[in-house]
Amino acid sequence: MLWAASQVFRKFSTATVYYQNKLRLAIIGQSVFGQEVYSNLRKEGHKVVGVFTVPDKDGKADPLAVAAQKDGTPVFKFPRWRLKGKSIPEVVEAYKSVGAELNVLPFCSQFIPMDVIDNPKHGSIIYHPSILPRHRGASAINWTLIHGDKKAGFSVFWADDGLDTGPILLQRVCDVEPNDTVDSVYNRFLFPEGVKGMVKSVQLIADGKAPRIDQPEDGATYEGIQKKENAKICWDNSAEVIHNWIRGHDKVPGAWTVIKDQIVTLYGSSLLEGAVPSGEPLHIEGASKSGLVTKNGLVLFGKDEKMLIVKNLQFEDGKMIPASNYFSMGDVTVLELTEEEKAIESHIRDIWKGILSNVAAIEDSTDFFKSGAASMDVVRLVEEIKQKCAGLELQNEDVYMATTFQDFIQMVVRKFRGEDKEEIVVDYATLNVNNMTVKMPYQCFINGQFVDSDSGKTYETINPTDGSVLCKVSYCSVADVDKAVAAAKEAFENGEWGKMNARDRGRILYRLADLMEEHQEELATIEALDSGAVYTLALKTHVGMSVQTFRYFAGWCDKIQGSTIPINQARPNRNLTFTKKEPLGVCAIVIPWNYPLMMLAWKSAACLAAGNTLVLKPAQVTPLTALKFAELASKAGVPKGVINILPGSGGLVGQRLSEHPDIRKLGFTGSTPIGKQIMKSCAVSNLKKVSLELGGKSPLIIFNDCDLDKAVRMGMGAVYFNKGENCIAAGRLFVEESIHDEFVRRVVEEIKKMKIGDPLDRSTDHGPQNHKAHLEKLLEYCESGIKEGATLVYGAKHVPRPGFFMEPTVFTNVEDHMYIAQEESFGPVMVISKFKDGDIDGVLARANSTEYGLASGVFTRDISKAMYVSEKLEAGTVFINTYNKTDVAAPFGGFKQSGFGKDLGEEALHEYLRTKAVTVEY
């Protein structure tokens, strides 16, 4: 006990000493970054004795000056520190008067003399946005991208009389993504982590722990500020080098080329994979191949024939346009504003007035930049609009694209209406079938684009109705999984989806549901072609329930709540404890082939509603509706990277998903053996959360006091619904002895009326099995029943016609030890066993004598008996006097080796959320 008290005292004492180690600081610099460093240093308890920044411009103070003046910190605004190479005495004297112990230069455009740099006790530290000694000098972020560096970062170093050559105090590094921009690297890493790095550096100095590591000269580079005349694009390079050149010069000074004898500056470059999109040719001076003006931008070609695409073009008069509008300049319709949009206009007019304080009134013709705004004002404008106009997500480049107030408002309103969404380029396999032209994407969908697999491999997806090839589909590899996970992680951590408020997320999911409904006939046709589902069933269930699922979970988006919890108070203080429900991050979803679209919806709707991003692997044999869904999701406004679809093999793609360290949850529907393997991989890799909906052998008990007509009709549906390819299909029927023979007679009579045939024929009752291997497995299953002595009453044959058709099958006299009594067929096979009249507990014991527990059912007019049986049945779902009646609001999932976790209903959300407890003392 004495030892424990000593430890507590030591911890307390150490903490006390730590908080006493604070410095008197002079902040020398400018910008929002400087403001954030200043504010965070003050929060940490350091004393800022003076802020030295630039003079006001056009009557507007620098953000650092504004924050310091608000706090009452002394502010000095010197236009310069030196004159003719010598320090200005009165400036230096004013600086020395504050008595700083350390100079902190977060971002400074002025030249600070050495007698100021060396004056404080601890000298001066400077932030530099590169991994020194690489990219010394100005524009370091730009040069990082121009050179195609795979790593970016920042250095905090001790100032000396060289140019960015002083000893290193602290460095931090991040990856550079292929399509990163100066803005994305800065906003994602250099700004937020740079602020933390500066604060950390100051505290290390205060604690006497700050290192001084001499910079090596090996690998050192120096690049100055790039000038416009030197920024011309050289087309004798690969697409990647050209892309790096353009993005590295974006926004200043801007990489340019000559088009139709006019200098045109290119902005918003990204690499483009896949097939060459259709577009109108545009001659580029010096390029070996004409560009293509497409609906998504200007496609350009490198010397290696690979592609990049640029979004925006700026002409010599300063006008900037979307590159896709090159051949239609001037064809812009002025929008009429709704009352809600007029309110937004009023808010934005006030924001412009606040920034352009030197302008008497904001007119439609007021030009943002000609009125004196600078690049920092662009950041302020964008951030204020985000803050005051909820749901509007602008980028800095949007301001450059619409510089007058009227153009800016028109652009904002188009964004508000969702009219600005970039259309994805889709290559289709098309079929004229079912009185329509069906357009089926066939490439993998990664980071908002349909692209070929990394290996270029494809495989054939087969129409089970006649065995013909529908199309060739991209066969994804481990490299594709890694790309998709990286895209999903970026979208979650830094993208629009992670920042979006819940109601806006719900609005997008509602829009997606509406688009699915608009395309329901096409989706149902694709489902019939790819999986063999009867069209009418596909329309009502496969597609219809998918639409309902997305609508249901869209409504949940803004209703996910934590709770407040009363706890014992830490007297004399008080405490508040509350919980927050948070998304998990990147989730993987692996779905089966029996309900390709519906299983996608059951899992992904809850996943997305909770705020996660996802990588989904459809079944290898039924990928097409998942890829069509990706197209519709993009059109609905789901941001890039949020949804990724990877067709391919379970052994390759599914295994990598279960092992990937950046995936935090995996949802799987499929067989129990594969589910066990996935669970093991998820545990060994990074202990990711798992939900499993696995095999079933669902018992259906039919008592002699039932409505027999209904029991026959529902019993057949319980077995033959969706050709028996149904997770909750009644795998075994127990029929009370006194009605057994009559039940069997009526079932066979009804089977003979069923029409087996083309699933697109509206009169068809029973379509083909999903794929050839499954048909063969079902026939073997029936053979085992016959060999073990069960009575084959009907079926067990391949229907003699093209395709994978099987006759609905009935077995009776099935004993408990038989293979067909214990294992799931997953096909149109009715397995019937009789039980003695009145033996309720006996039949319950037989029904529960299985390792599966997905669903079950009972038919009886005796409600007491029904409720007793429902309590005793060991299954996640019990149907009473009905079957297959699932609903989007009711949780669905199994017991025992049928898995764990729930799809549908409120419970499904919890599978994709984590609970955080927060305790506050006040």
Side-chain angles (χ1 to χ4, degrees), residues 814-835:
V814 179
E815 298 179 15
D816 295 353
H817 68 274
M818 293 179 179
Y819 179 80
I820 63 171
Q822 297 175 356
E823 295 300 326
E824 181 180 29
S825 72
F826 213 64
V829 182
M830 184 177 285
V831 175
I832 304 175
S833 300
K834 68 176 71 172
F835 66 96

Side-chain angles (χ1 to χ4, degrees), residues 793-820:
V793 178
Y794 193 90
K797 296 177 184 176
H798 177 201
V799 178
R801 56 169 293 163
F804 313 136
F805 293 86
M806 179 179 176
E807 291 181 346
T809 299
V810 179
F811 280 102
T812 60
N813 296 319
V814 179
E815 298 179 15
D816 295 353
H817 68 274
M818 293 179 179
Y819 179 80
I820 63 171

Side-chain angles (χ1 to χ4, degrees), residues 703 840 844 858-873 878-881:
F703 289 101
I840 298 174
L844 278 169
V858 54
F859 279 85
T860 176
R861 286 191 174 94
D862 185 339
I863 190 64
S864 296
K865 184 194 297 182
M867 295 306 293
Y868 175 77
V869 170
S870 73
E871 288 177 11
K872 296 297 182 180
L873 283 169
V878 180
F879 298 107
I880 298 176
N881 294 327

Side-chain angles (χ1 to χ4, degrees), residues 613-829:
T613 58
L614 68 89
V615 181
L616 183 141
K617 192 199 89 65
Q620 184 172 346
V621 292
T622 54
L624 296 181
T625 43
L627 294 170
K628 188 68 180 181
F629 166 82
E631 178 193 352
L632 297 179
S634 181
K635 289 181 177 178
V638 177
K640 69 175 185 178
V642 173
I643 293 172
N644 303 271
I645 309 291
L646 303 178
S649 77
L652 201 63
V653 176
Q655 185 62 33
R656 178 56 180 159
L657 289 172
S658 65
E659 294 172 345
H660 202 292
D662 288 333
I663 291 174
R664 293 298 167 192
K665 159 72 195 275
L666 191 146
F668 171 75
T669 296
S671 71
T672 297
I674 299 299
K676 290 179 178 179
Q677 183 180 334
I678 283 175
M679 189 173 175
K680 181 179 179 181
S681 297
C682 288
V684 171
S685 57
N686 62 339
L687 210 63
K688 56 178 65 70
K689 190 175 182 179
V690 181
S691 57
L692 303 171
E693 196 252 279
L694 307 176
K697 189 67 176 174
S698 301
L700 175 58
I701 303 172
I702 300 174
F703 289 101
N704 59 15
D705 60 352
C706 70
D707 177 338
L708 191 57
D709 288 339
K710 184 177 184 181
V712 169
R713 185 175 71 255
M714 291 276 187
M716 291 184 66
V719 176
Y720 302 128
F721 188 81
N722 200 46
K723 313 159 294 175
E725 295 167 354
N726 188 17
C727 306
I728 56 173
R732 192 173 181 194
L733 277 66
F734 294 94
V735 182
E736 203 158 11
E737 192 169 29
S738 57
I739 61 168
H740 174 274
D741 293 349
E742 177 63 12
F743 178 86
V744 173
R745 185 190 69 77
R746 292 195 192 186
V747 165
V748 173
E749 189 176 90
E750 291 301 315
I751 287 175
K752 291 177 180 178
K753 298 176 185 177
M754 291 172 66
K755 180 179 178 180
I756 301 172
D758 183 354
L760 293 176
D761 184 335
R762 305 308 192 263
S763 63
T764 294
D765 299 303
H766 190 81
Q769 303 311 133
N770 187 277
H771 51 281
K772 184 178 180 181
H774 183 55
L775 171 63
E776 292 170 349
K777 182 180 177 183
L778 285 171
L779 296 174
E780 290 174 5
Y781 182 90
C782 293
E783 280 297 317
S784 70
I786 295 168
K787 287 178 182 177
E788 288 191 299
T791 301
L792 174 63
V793 178
Y794 193 90
K797 296 177 184 176
H798 177 201
V799 178
R801 56 169 293 163
F804 313 136
F805 293 86
M806 179 179 176
E807 291 181 346
T809 299
V810 179
F811 280 102
T812 60
N813 296 319
V814 179
E815 298 179 15
D816 295 353
H817 68 274
M818 293 179 179
Y819 179 80
I820 63 171
Q822 297 175 356
E823 295 300 326
E824 181 180 29
S825 72
F826 213 64
V829 182

Side-chain angles (χ1 to χ4, degrees), residues 840-860:
I840 298 174
D841 290 328
V843 74
L844 278 169
R846 295 172 71 190
N848 287 330
S849 183
T850 173
E851 275 300 300
Y852 300 109
L854 190 55
S856 59
V858 54
F859 279 85
T860 176

Side-chain angles (χ1 to χ4, degrees), residues 469-715:
V469 175
L470 287 170
C471 63
K472 290 187 176 182
V473 178
S474 291
Y475 187 80
C476 291
S477 65
V478 168
D480 296 305
V481 176
D482 292 344
K483 288 179 186 176
V485 173
K489 185 179 181 184
E490 174 66 16
F492 179 77
E493 294 180 353
N494 301 305
E496 181 183 349
W497 190 251
K499 301 171 187 174
M500 189 179 296
N501 71 56
R503 200 157 296 167
D504 291 329
R505 190 165 66 241
R507 188 186 304 149
I508 289 175
L509 295 185
Y510 275 124
R511 195 180 302 142
L512 174 55
D514 290 345
L515 278 173
M516 291 170 70
E517 190 169 56
E518 287 175 26
H519 289 261
Q520 60 182 339
E521 289 87 0
E522 184 179 21
L523 287 166
T525 302
I526 296 172
E527 200 87 328
L529 292 170
D530 206 23
S531 75
V534 172
Y535 175 77
T536 50
L537 175 66
L539 195 62
K540 178 180 183 295
T541 303
H542 289 233
V543 180
M545 193 172 188
S546 299
V547 172
Q548 291 177 30
T549 303
F550 271 98
R551 287 209 174 111
Y552 173 80
F553 283 108
W556 267 110
C557 287
D558 61 353
K559 300 172 187 68
I560 298 169
Q561 303 177 44
S563 58
T564 55
I565 303 170
I567 65 168
N568 290 337
Q569 306 293 345
R571 296 175 182 174
N573 298 316
R574 297 178 64 79
N575 296 98
L576 168 67
T577 294
F578 62 91
T579 61
K580 295 172 63 181
K581 296 290 186 180
E582 298 179 340
L584 300 171
V586 181
C587 298
I589 293 174
V590 180
I591 55 172
W593 43 258
N594 58 326
Y595 294 105
L597 185 64
M598 194 171 79
M599 291 296 99
L600 176 153
W602 280 23
K603 284 180 162 54
S604 62
C607 173
L608 294 169
N612 301 285
T613 58
L614 68 89
V615 181
L616 183 141
K617 192 199 89 65
Q620 184 172 346
V621 292
T622 54
L624 296 181
T625 43
L627 294 170
K628 188 68 180 181
F629 166 82
E631 178 193 352
L632 297 179
S634 181
K635 289 181 177 178
V638 177
K640 69 175 185 178
V642 173
I643 293 172
N644 303 271
I645 309 291
L646 303 178
S649 77
L652 201 63
V653 176
Q655 185 62 33
R656 178 56 180 159
L657 289 172
S658 65
E659 294 172 345
H660 202 292
D662 288 333
I663 291 174
R664 293 298 167 192
K665 159 72 195 275
L666 191 146
F668 171 75
T669 296
S671 71
T672 297
I674 299 299
K676 290 179 178 179
Q677 183 180 334
I678 283 175
M679 189 173 175
K680 181 179 179 181
S681 297
C682 288
V684 171
S685 57
N686 62 339
L687 210 63
K688 56 178 65 70
K689 190 175 182 179
V690 181
S691 57
L692 303 171
E693 196 252 279
L694 307 176
K697 189 67 176 174
S698 301
L700 175 58
I701 303 172
I702 300 174
F703 289 101
N704 59 15
D705 60 352
C706 70
D707 177 338
L708 191 57
D709 288 339
K710 184 177 184 181
V712 169
R713 185 175 71 255
M714 291 276 187

Side-chain angles (χ1 to χ4, degrees), residues 436-473:
M436 69 180 77
T437 300
V438 176
K439 299 165 75 174
M440 301 175 290
Y442 56 84
Q443 296 168 293
C444 43
F445 186 72
I446 300 174
N447 202 26
Q449 291 184 322
F450 283 102
V451 294
D452 293 333
S453 63
D454 186 75
S455 65
K457 291 182 179 179
T458 61
Y459 70 96
E460 295 176 342
T461 186
I462 305 299
N463 183 347
T465 301
D466 57 12
S468 64
V469 175
L470 287 170
C471 63
K472 290 187 176 182
V473 178

